[in-house]
Amino acid sequence: MRPPKAMKKPFSIKHHQDLRRDDFYWLRDEQRSDPEVLEYLTAENQYCEHQLAPTAALQQTLYQEMTARLKPSDQSVPYFKNGYWYQQRFEPDCEFPMLVRNKQHLSAPEECLLNLNEQAEGVEYYDLAEAKVSPNQQLLAFSEDCLGRRLYQIKIKDLATGQIAEHCVDDTSGEVVWGNDSRYFYYVKKHPVTLVPYQVYRHQLGAPSSLDQLVYEEADDSFYISLHKTRSEQMIVIGAYASTTSEALYLDANNIDAQPQLFNAREKNIEYELEHFAGQFFVKTNALGKNFALIAAPEQSNHVISLPFTQWPVIVEHKSDVLLQGYELFNDFIVIEERCNGLVKLRYRHWQHQQYQCIEFNDPTYTAWLAINPEPNTSLLRFCYSSLTTPASTLEVDLTSGQQKTLKQQQVMGDFNAQDYQSERVWAVARDGVKVPVSLVYKRHLFKRHGNNPLLVYGYGAYGLSEDAMFSSDLLSLLDRGFVYAIAHVRGGEELGRQWYESGKLGNKHNSFYDFIDVTEALIKQGFGDPKRVYAMGGSAGGLLMGGVINLAPTLYHGVVAQVPFVDVLTTMLDESLPLTTGEYEEWGNPNLYQDYQRIKSYSPYDQVKAQVYPHLLVVTGLHDSQVQYWEPAKWVAKLREYKQGDTLLLLHTDLDAGHGGKSGRFKQYYDTAREYAFLLWLAEQQPLS
């Protein structure tokens, strides 16, 4: 079967006197209904299925392996809030959980708040953003997306009758915050064109959304709006966030007519997050240093609040080598989540003491995070822990005694034994001399240094998002077949603090690509993989990473999986009508500025496609993706077909029913993973190409 050949329709884009020809621009269809576009995407799907036909049995085997590792029925660790125990529970073999609660005691009769399997009936995609019980415990506000565009509809359920109210709120970000009298809630509306969350409305129960009150509108489209209720539950915070600047407003949660009060006016390159608890405002900010500090002042101390952040009382000092990630406030204790030398640390102290106690972790590479702790009047802290060899675990520590216990560890069905696997943390020296951390895992008895193990390198490297080393049960299907799996913590993430992020964005973006390539070469040199069987994978901004890497080092990798890849960077960043564009200027640059334009063009994968041999490539996307529009990977594949040399595979699979996250559902999501892993395993076995 011959590969599809997209029709070439010349289209010119001129900017800064630079004329670019885009023969495949026509693949962009905002409505996702153009018969010619859908015909092409369907043809690519058919070609992909045909080329991967030899892996059909393997895909099924992998899917069965992955789903068999999941407990047929499962439930989360229950937590207590306002007189009820809450948890999620999966019925045997169901795709979605039930949200349930028990009054006062877990032995009390169970009440089903929402059965997501019923909500998802009749739709190909389903995602629940939030489900919030009203303060009076009688109503449930929940937000759901049945298309994959991340446009959520908010509905209200009467918990006494089980009835869902007639009036819904459409096109929201999914965030819901109740007023304290349970008669109204706040939500964030998304812009109809750009999909940027930009308006805050107050909705009164029983009234149509057309009568909702506009509380706040963000005029700058580079800022996104979010909502949360403070730890004290007395205030509602409107957060306005750009990449490097933020601002907060707050409302009285007890006043149905409350108007937002500006807390501290936005100042370029100053970020802060607002919290309120026990009569104090708490602010996490970079005003005292780029790795953030925590400051606080009494609510009524207007003379302090009016001062610059640099003059506030400091709770957690800024450190040049430690990134403050988060914190949790209790009546008697404060808990700090920070990142040091690439690894997460948790420490805590009593408010009356200065000395912190640390929670110790022993794996060479791991991650930890604060769990749901809704009740501040306790000495029990819940946190989660996972490593490449340790399934996700929920633990509890008594902050008074320091005693720990495991409440739950993700159960891996079958013959899984953590002792069969080995994780390592190594450092690779990049071409400019910077040391890049790498997390590795492999099966002990299948690994031989300088042997013939296939090596899969994964990366992301953008937005300051750290790619942590977490357990993945589906990854066992590769490890059990001899693969070594590596996470390259390249610059652009925040693993080594804010500087690590800044060293991989804007004018430093090339460092992300070079780091990934240099890590791969270092791992090969150290004997972690067969040079002829090296693979790479990344999604979204990590898909951009894949596109940049294969342009720069096309023969280093035998195969690459690019998931929902952001590859048409320059054209997208020039189009302010697209979702997330203007808010991304501080990440990639503003191409309306000549210098930024040239810089983005120099690495934009679509613009840098050239006549050369490329590795085997599987590209996956979703038709309804609102983060990375489907036409970016579609155009990229069409252009690669025009330029690539040799007989390597070039495959595009578009999920016509999903968005950025792929298939929804506890089990269905593994169809996508099985396809990608089968592609890699097939290549690793050196199967002849058809």
Side-chain angles (χ1 to χ4, degrees), residues 235-248:
M235 295 185 185
I236 295 167
V237 173
I238 300 172
Y241 300 96
S243 292
T244 59
T245 306
S246 56
E247 181 179 76

Side-chain angles (χ1 to χ4, degrees), residues 411-614:
Q411 187 174 347
V412 182
M413 306 299 287
D415 58 358
F416 170 74
N417 183 349
Q419 300 305 313
D420 293 340
Y421 303 87
Q422 176 67 48
S423 67
E424 293 188 37
R425 188 170 188 245
V426 300
W427 296 80
V429 180
R431 62 194 65 188
D432 60 357
V434 171
K435 291 183 177 180
V436 181
V438 186
S439 299
L440 290 151
V441 65
Y442 50 81
K443 196 162 189 176
R444 293 178 190 269
H445 79 273
L446 294 180
F447 174 69
K448 182 179 180 182
R449 194 176 290 270
H450 297 288
N452 63 351
N453 292 87
L455 170 65
L456 173 60
V457 188
Y458 187 89
Y460 186 76
Y463 302 110
L465 298 176
S466 297
E467 193 62 45
D468 284 317
M470 297 182 66
F471 184 81
S472 171
S473 63
D474 57 80
L475 186 60
L476 298 176
S477 291
L478 290 183
L479 303 182
D480 290 349
R481 289 171 172 83
F483 262 77
V484 174
Y485 178 73
I487 303 172
H489 303 287
V490 301
R491 280 172 279 187
E494 215 165 41
E495 287 88 342
L496 297 181
R498 195 68 172 180
Q499 181 61 41
W500 198 246
Y501 168 44
E502 294 174 352
S503 298
K505 63 180 291 194
L506 295 174
N508 297 318
K509 186 59 197 170
H510 60 277
N511 286 330
S512 302
F513 308 121
Y514 294 153
D515 284 357
F516 194 87
I517 293 167
D518 296 344
V519 162
T520 303
E521 292 178 338
L523 292 176
I524 295 170
K525 186 175 181 180
Q526 293 176 39
F528 283 106
D530 181 347
K532 296 180 180 179
R533 301 203 293 172
V534 178
Y535 306 92
M537 180 184 287
S540 196
L544 162 62
L545 180 65
M546 296 300 101
V549 162
I550 64 174
N551 280 333
L552 294 168
T555 61
L556 182 58
Y557 303 93
H558 186 216
V560 171
V561 176
Q563 304 155 318
V564 291
F566 176 40
V567 284
D568 193 14
V569 187
L570 186 56
T571 303
T572 292
M573 294 305 297
L574 281 168
D575 190 344
E576 297 181 6
S577 72
L578 289 175
L580 311 180
T581 295
T582 53
E584 305 276 293
Y585 285 164
E586 292 178 345
E587 179 71 26
W588 314 107
N590 180 356
N592 294 300
L593 304 176
Y594 180 76
Q595 185 176 359
D596 287 4
Y597 178 94
Q598 293 295 337
R599 185 169 59 232
I600 295 170
K601 183 181 178 181
S602 73
Y603 67 74
S604 176
Y606 186 68
D607 291 284
Q608 294 305 317
V609 168
K610 55 182 70 74
Q612 62 181 6
V613 173
Y614 281 94

